[in-house]
Amino acid sequence: MKSPLVPRNAALAYRPFDLGTIGAGLVFGESLGELAKALGAGRTAGTAVVQAPPGTGKTTLVPPLLANIALANIAGGDVTAKERPRVVVTQPRRVAARSAARRLAALDGSRLGDRVGYTVRGESQTGPGTIIEFVTPGILLRRLLADPGLETVNAVILDEVHERGLETDLLLGMLIEVRELRDDLTLVAMSATLDAPRFAALIGGAGAGEGTDEKHDGGGPAPVVDCPSALHPLTVDWAPAAGARLDGRGVTRAFLDHVAETAAASYTDTLAADPDVDALVFVPGAWEVSYVASRLRAGLAARVPGAEVLELHGQASPAEQDRAVSGREPGGSPRIIVSTALAESSLTVPGVRLVIDSGLSRELRRDANRGMSGLVTVSCSRASAEQRAGRAARQGPGRVVRCYEQKAYGAAPAHPTPEIAAADLTGAALVLACWGSPGGRGLALPDSPPQGAMDDAIEVLRELGAIDPDGLATDVGKTLARIPADPRLARALLDGAATVGHRAAAEAVALVAGDQRAPGADLTRLLATLRTGKDPGARRWTEDVRRMEAIARQERSGVGRSLTAQASLSSPASAAEALGFVVALAFPDRVARRVPGTGPERYLLTSGTRAGLPASSPLTGHEWLAVAEVSRAEGRDAAGTGAVIRSAAPLAADAAEAAASHLLGDTVEAEFKQGRVIARQERRLGAILLSSTPVRPSIDDGRVAVAHALAKEGLGTIGWSPAADVLRRRLALLHRELGDPWPDVSEPALLARLERWLAPELEALAGGAATSGIDLAEPLRRLLPWPEAARLGELVPEWLEVPSGSRVRIDYPDAADDGGRPVVAVKLQECFGWAETPRLVGGRVPVLFHLLSPARRPLAVTDDLSSFWSGPYAQVRAEMRGRYPKHPWPEDPWTAPATAKTKRKM
């Protein structure tokens, strides 16, 4: 009797794949022998890197080749269900996994789900006899954590490794470790670009990622199996728009109109020559796909009646995605597919011979200062542009029209930014902690994770209770890793269920973890739409909710209280409040409060980030929001903050405080303002001020406030009285000319030793005294050295007696002036007969005289009175005696009496 695990047609299930039939017309068929030989030769047996352009057939042919090798290696004649081989192939996108499985099953002549199947989030087409299974990287990651040895798997193929997806990078490093224990596990990486040697070195154990110190013993680089390009002749045309592609708000509508018009005109011309041609248009995101598709439908209605315009992006339903990539039916209407990067390398769309390329893509970027990551629109890399263009020449001569300038192509980066360098690493850090490689230590990764981003991720995991002091996963962390969502959402699922119920928590987490865009950033509106079942993503969301609810019920008992949920809601939550509460539990650092004021809506997040709200959002006016996604942006929606809220739900004030209770705190904030210390008791939720009440400052708070004011504004905070300023200037000159023991009274020096000379006054200020009652002259005298201080008046006198008998104040240079001179401004007549210029600081510094007219206007500046009387004085006398006839202007200034009086009063 046959085992119930064996398919009805066991002979069909376990017969070898017919590579000749499957590979008919595929270029990579010529390289199968080389790959088979490479996998069985030398110390690197069981590893290889396949380098082949898109469309050559590597995704179709390599999996059945590995399956045949595994079948041949199984001992004995009959294959039992227990012994059946298993080949797992990762595809970076769900639509690619489904499409690849469907195509291979069709070429094999078997039913999808029998010998060939797929598993993606929320959907699986596999059976007990499945040999080749296409999966997304996330699926395989969770399987690895559950079964680190992959004991039931014979071979793993990592496809599209050149895209540098974060999960694929992690899988590469983890599978290299698995092979150290399981040399019977075949590992093949496949790349569509010319970076295969790098992956070969990693897999073969010859090197590690850039910036890592990890080296793994091995037999040298894994063999690289190359494949010639399958491209037919390709014509490249350039059709740049008149205006800019991007502005502060993103892709301009004028540019998208240009792309649509270029596509319509080019496709019309192409169809006139060959009616069997389909076209593929690349734009960066789902919104741009929808916009360009609508413009094309209008533009092609008259030019190409009956033409189909299809949309391909991650938010489209599985049926819509499959229809877009399935090719034109025999005798069907012309088709033009508008796509994101989905169709760039991991999917081959049959019939495409014309590509229209916007030259733009969405890439992750991380704002380290704000602690957030988000998708931004940038020029696509040259490698991406080449892959897009290559889609037009897989099945015959093709044409690509690039809607941008050739110099923009030349200035583009060679490759896209690796996701590990720009993404939020919280989920990756949890995977690494569960794997036993905290922070990626000891793992051979293509690139090391940025230290700052990894530190931030580890801190989040620590707050969630997911890791221990050594960085390894706790039981809580292992539970969170089993939930197919961001660790913060996973924790919110478990914690939120206790307050809002399992169903409501599951709905909220499935909503935020899904691909759907919230209209106007309003998650409550998206939730209502999904509940009706009318949204294309409703079916997938419903399945996710079912799975999340089951997980919440199953896992809750093993998880302790969250650090972020120390309080619960005071009253039962409505559907909208439940959604906001769960989102706030997941992202307490993104709880936001409306900033009062006119103009566009602005919100302040508990993290300190400010963000705008999309214009006309249904959320406008809500005082509190639980923000699920916020990203960098410019333009009107950002409202001058540099960021915009992409999805959020309304939140009650008590729910905000409950969800982010660990951020709630009462502090006394003292500040030095208007000459005295004032204080207010503030209650804050993170950076958000909840209340502020005047209080009497404590001495300690006052000291902090005074110290902060002095550090920020210097001693000018207290102010220099005239007497203090003069003393400081005199001391500064002494220190400049004589050095120690005369004190350094520069601003930095004084601030560095406040306790030595200003302690009593600082204590008085801290206690509430006003600066108006403090004169710095007396504190400054505490710095005078003894016994040298007795000569202060001699070395730097305050006054200088001139020949007329007047005592004139000496103006000393500013304390910060390293080369200034002491100045005496005196009327010229008061210095008659003075031959020797006075010198200060023991004769070291001559006084600089400003000799003034009777009206006290400067006539001459000199530090050599003898030379002045003997020379320039004669000219001054000639010019001034007629202007000031009442004052003496003797011909001989040496013998004339010095006077401050007019001639009549002498």
Side-chain angles (χ1 to χ4, degrees):
M1 182 176 179
K2 292 183 179 179
S3 166
L5 295 178
V6 179
R8 290 189 299 270
N9 193 342
L12 173 65
Y14 299 120
R15 63 167 170 77
F17 288 87
D18 186 346
L19 298 179
T21 301
I22 293 172
L26 297 178
V27 177
F28 193 78
E30 300 174 8
S31 302
L32 285 177
E34 181 185 353
L35 177 57
K37 182 179 178 181
L39 290 171
R43 295 180 62 191
T44 58
T47 63
V49 175
V50 172
Q51 179 174 282
T56 52
K58 61 182 183 298
T59 303
T60 302
L61 283 170
V62 175
L65 171 66
L66 267 59
N68 285 354
I69 293 174
L71 281 166
N73 289 337
I74 294 177
D78 294 330
V79 179
T80 67
K82 187 177 180 180
E83 295 172 328
R84 64 173 171 80
R86 189 78 165 201
V87 177
V88 178
V89 189
T90 65
Q91 289 293 324
R93 300 171 184 86
R94 291 191 292 266
V95 62
R98 287 196 307 269
S99 177
R102 185 177 291 108
R103 174 173 170 77
L104 181 55
L107 292 172
D108 181 52
S110 59
R111 188 178 61 182
L112 181 64
D114 285 348
R115 284 158 56 85
V116 181
Y118 68 86
T119 300
V120 297
R121 194 180 74 188
E123 185 181 358
S124 181
Q125 285 277 2
T126 60
T130 299
I131 297 175
I132 298 173
E133 182 186 16
F134 290 86
V135 301
T136 48
I139 297 292
L140 185 54
L141 270 179
R142 280 189 290 278
R143 288 184 185 175
L144 259 177
L145 294 182
D147 176 19
L150 287 182
E151 298 299 336
T152 61
V153 176
N154 298 77
V156 175
I157 301 170
L158 300 179
D159 203 358
E160 314 296 349
V161 292
H162 63 277
E163 291 193 10
R164 299 303 313 281
L166 175 57
E167 291 179 326
T168 301
D169 277 4
L170 294 178
L171 280 173
L172 185 62
M174 293 162 70
L175 288 168
I176 289 171
E177 283 199 350
V178 173
R179 265 195 53 81
E180 292 178 2
L181 301 176
R182 272 198 61 196
D183 58 5
D184 63 320
L185 178 69
T186 299
L187 177 59
V188 175
M190 300 203 295
S191 172
T193 58
L194 300 177
D195 53 0
R198 182 183 191 189
F199 296 105
L202 281 172
I203 293 173
E210 293 178 6
T212 71
D213 298 323
E214 304 303 329
K215 300 290 182 182
H216 294 263
D217 295 333
V224 175
V225 177
D226 207 341
C227 175
S229 173
L231 283 180
H232 294 272
L234 177 69
T235 301
V236 180
D237 292 329
W238 303 89
R245 290 187 291 173
L246 301 171
D247 61 13
R249 299 178 63 185
V251 187
T252 65
R253 290 178 184 254
F255 176 68
L256 293 177
D257 290 340
H258 170 73
V259 172
E261 175 55 32
T262 301
S266 300
Y267 192 39
T268 301
D269 293 343
T270 301
L271 283 176
D274 187 345
D276 294 327
V277 169
D278 288 342
L280 182 58
V281 182
F282 284 102
V283 290
W287 182 87
E288 290 84 0
V289 167
S290 179
Y291 182 88
V292 170
S294 66
R295 300 288 292 181
L296 276 171
R297 291 185 186 104
L300 289 173
R303 296 175 179 178
V304 188
E308 281 191 283
V309 179
L310 303 174
E311 301 180 20
L312 180 58
H313 52 79
Q315 297 176 35
S317 68
E320 291 173 323
Q321 293 176 343
D322 293 343
R323 183 163 175 258
V325 302
S326 60
R328 190 195 302 190
E329 294 290 336
S333 302
R335 306 186 337 145
I336 184 166
I337 300 102
V338 186
S339 175
T340 60
L342 267 178
E344 187 174 294
S345 63
S346 56
L347 285 172
T348 295
V349 183
V352 169
R353 299 269 292 282
L354 172 66
V355 167
I356 310 297
D357 185 11
S358 67
L360 298 174
S361 65
R362 291 268 204 274
E363 288 191 11
L364 272 172
R365 290 290 187 273
R366 182 173 185 271
D367 187 333
N369 293 328
R370 299 180 185 218
M372 63 184 182
S373 297
L375 291 171
V376 297
T377 304
V378 296
S379 293
C380 71
S381 67
R382 296 196 300 275
S384 293
E386 289 303 313
Q387 290 184 68
R388 294 177 182 186
R391 288 300 179 191
R394 296 297 174 217
Q395 297 172 310
R399 176 185 176 214
V400 58
V401 181
R402 289 175 171 152
C403 298
Y404 54 101
E405 293 183 335
Q406 193 168 359
K407 64 180 181 181
Y409 169 83
H415 298 282
T417 303
E419 191 177 352
I420 198 171
D424 182 308
L425 298 180
T426 307
L430 181 57
V431 169
L432 292 169
C434 291
W435 189 250
S437 301
R441 291 198 305 268
L443 212 58
L445 298 172
D447 285 289
S448 295
Q451 193 59 51
M454 182 56 72
D455 289 344
D456 292 344
I458 289 173
E459 182 59 32
V460 170
L461 294 180
R462 190 169 287 117
E463 291 177 359
L464 294 175
I467 56 175
D468 63 19
D470 295 326
L472 298 173
T474 61
D475 289 341
V476 171
K478 293 173 183 176
T479 297
L480 299 182
R482 288 194 290 268
I483 300 174
D486 180 284
R488 289 163 290 199
L489 285 170
R491 184 87 225 203
L493 171 68
L494 304 180
D495 293 337
T499 301
V500 303
H502 297 93
R503 179 71 180 183
E507 287 186 333
V509 170
L511 183 74
V512 177
D515 297 329
Q516 296 83 11
R517 273 288 180 189
D522 186 4
L523 285 172
T524 56
R525 177 171 291 190
L526 176 59
L527 178 62
T529 302
L530 289 170
R531 282 174 170 171
T532 66
K534 296 179 180 179
D535 188 275
R539 180 178 178 182
R540 183 188 302 162
W541 174 76
T542 302
E543 177 61 25
D544 285 347
V545 171
R546 185 191 64 76
R547 289 188 302 119
M548 295 288 185
E549 184 176 1
I551 290 171
R553 294 184 185 278
Q554 176 184 350
E555 302 285 5
R556 175 63 202 171
S557 60
V559 181
R561 284 293 280 180
S562 168
L563 299 176
T564 60
Q566 296 299 326
S568 59
L569 294 177
S570 57
S571 60
S574 66
E577 290 172 338
L579 174 58
F581 182 66
V582 174
V583 172
L585 280 177
F587 305 108
D589 57 321
R590 299 179 199 167
V591 169
R593 189 179 191 183
R594 184 175 177 270
V595 177
T598 58
E601 293 280 78
R602 297 180 182 87
Y603 282 82
L604 174 63
L605 280 62
T606 53
S607 64
T609 292
R610 290 177 182 265
L613 196 63
S616 304
S617 170
L619 297 173
T620 298
H622 282 282
E623 181 70 10
W624 290 89
L625 295 177
V627 178
E629 182 184 356
V630 59
S631 62
R632 297 191 305 176
E634 300 296 338
R636 181 180 62 179
D637 289 349
T641 64
V644 66
I645 294 170
R646 299 297 185 190
S647 62
L651 190 65
D654 63 335
E657 294 187 18
S661 59
H662 65 298
L663 299 178
L664 197 61
D666 292 288
T667 59
V668 173
E669 295 292 331
E671 64 175 329
F672 198 81
K673 192 174 183 180
Q674 297 177 343
R676 68 173 61 244
V677 175
I678 61 174
R680 304 185 72 86
Q681 183 167 347
E682 296 182 344
R683 185 169 178 79
R684 288 182 178 272
L685 189 65
I688 299 174
L689 179 65
L690 301 177
S691 63
S692 179
T693 307
V695 294
R696 181 180 182 83
S698 68
I699 288 292
D700 288 341
D701 290 335
R703 291 189 187 109
V704 171
V706 171
H708 179 74
L710 289 172
K712 183 178 180 181
E713 301 176 21
L715 290 164
T717 302
I718 301 174
W720 294 96
S721 67
D725 183 54
V726 168
L727 176 58
R728 184 186 179 199
R729 288 169 180 255
R730 294 165 68 197
L731 291 175
L733 182 64
L734 284 173
H735 180 74
R736 188 185 84 189
E737 297 298 326
L738 301 178
D740 292 336
W742 295 102
D744 182 354
V745 290
S746 65
E747 184 90 354
L750 290 175
L751 290 174
R753 47 182 176 171
L754 289 172
E755 291 298 323
R756 179 177 171 186
W757 68 282
L758 197 59
E761 288 74 18
L762 292 179
E763 201 69 4
L765 289 173
T771 55
S772 58
I774 294 177
D775 185 347
L776 292 180
E778 187 57 35
L780 206 56
R781 289 185 179 277
R782 296 175 188 142
L783 293 175
L784 291 175
W786 295 96
E788 289 84 355
R791 298 186 61 204
L792 178 67
E794 171 196 339
L795 296 173
V796 282
E798 288 190 64
W799 306 87
L800 182 67
E801 186 171 335
V802 297
S804 67
S806 299
R807 295 177 73 244
V808 182
R809 181 179 293 278
I810 302 173
D811 185 13
Y812 286 91
D814 188 89
D817 188 348
D818 290 335
R821 302 271 292 280
V823 172
V824 170
V826 61
K827 286 196 291 185
L828 181 148
Q829 285 83 2
E830 295 194 60
C831 296
F832 286 154
W834 206 352
E836 180 118 8
T837 301
R839 303 177 77 85
L840 307 180
V841 194
R844 287 176 174 79
V845 182
V847 172
L848 186 65
F849 281 91
H850 288 197
L851 300 175
L852 310 178
S853 71
R856 303 199 67 80
R857 294 189 178 90
L859 297 176
V861 175
T862 182
D863 60 1
D864 187 348
L865 290 172
S866 178
S867 297
F868 173 74
W869 299 130
S870 301
Y873 169 73
Q875 183 178 351
V876 171
R877 174 178 180 271
E879 294 175 359
M880 294 293 111
R881 63 185 298 195
R883 185 176 298 179
Y884 300 103
K886 297 180 181 180
H887 293 266
W889 299 96
E891 289 187 28
D892 182 7
W894 294 103
T895 58
T899 181
K901 301 176 182 178
T902 60
K903 289 188 290 187
R904 189 175 63 178
K905 293 182 179 181
M906 289 177 61

